Amino acid sequence: MDRWIGKVAVVTGASAGIGAAIVKDLAKAGMVVVGLARRAERVDDLKNDLPEDVRQNLHSAKCDVMNEDEIVKVFAWIKEKFGGVDVVVNNAGIIDTNTRLIDEGNSEIIRNTVNTNILGLIFCTREAFKSMKDRSVAGHIILMNSIAGHALPNMQYEFPEFNFNVYSGTKHAVTAITEGLRQELLKVKDSEGGHLAIKVTSISPAVVQTDITPAYSKEALANFPHLKAEDISAAVLYTLGTPPHVNIQEILIKPVGSFV
């Protein structure tokens, strides 16, 4: 991680859960971290969990990744204030396990899920890439995926009312986007005409205990194998810590005893 000390990392969905764990760990590692969230004040509150000597590394910015204009404006602000983006972690995501594809009145939650999990991820990636390209920075783009982005888990016996449906579809899109992005980045040149080696990594956890949905609460998962947010943050640190010539394209993480 030494080569990232003092560099700028942007993390979406940073106010809680996996995003909160990531911004804290990156700040501890010496990066300048900008946590994006609709509730930016909750990112500021995370400074209380950090040692005093690294609290100045963590910054917040209000941004709803469902809104493309907000994304463009916040990345412009990051350029003005911090000089640009070296690492982006596209962590923001929505899942509603109570919604079925066949239900009436499901339009809003399905539209929000697609806009957040696919379009928000794409637009944040686009703006981060622009910053890297403009400065010839061999940065790193990390996309938070899911095991549901590789196969649709069947949990009808453990959680009969649990529906993955459109969420799994959006995460399958992230799997395809990761490879498509990798292929596009192969053709990107730096200011001297050489290959600008920007890395792209997809991280696919199994069930993680967070407040993203009541189904993932501590109580609901008491007897179900699951991961912690800190486990996923550790994977982010691992992939960032690989040598410049190494690209970890996909990390699949399951808890011991997982049956999904």
Side-chain angles (χ1 to χ4, degrees), residues 1 3-4 26 31 87 140 142 235-242:
M1 286 292 294
R3 72 190 183 97
W4 298 112
L26 293 181
M31 296 195 73
V87 171
H140 202 137
I142 297 177
V236 171
L237 292 179
Y238 164 71
T239 190
L240 285 174
T242 55

Side-chain angles (χ1 to χ4, degrees), residues 220-250:
L221 297 176
N223 299 309
F224 188 87
H226 62 277
L227 300 161
K228 298 178 181 180
E230 293 76 14
D231 302 325
I232 315 309
S233 183
V236 171
L237 292 179
Y238 164 71
T239 190
L240 285 174
T242 55
H245 70 283
V246 174
N247 184 77
I248 306 296
Q249 180 167 330
E250 176 67 48

Side-chain angles (χ1 to χ4, degrees), residues 2 29 40 42 52 82 100 195 238 255 259:
D2 288 351
R42 293 187 61 178
E52 288 189 17
F82 301 103
R100 302 185 304 170
H195 176 227
Y238 164 71
F259 44 85

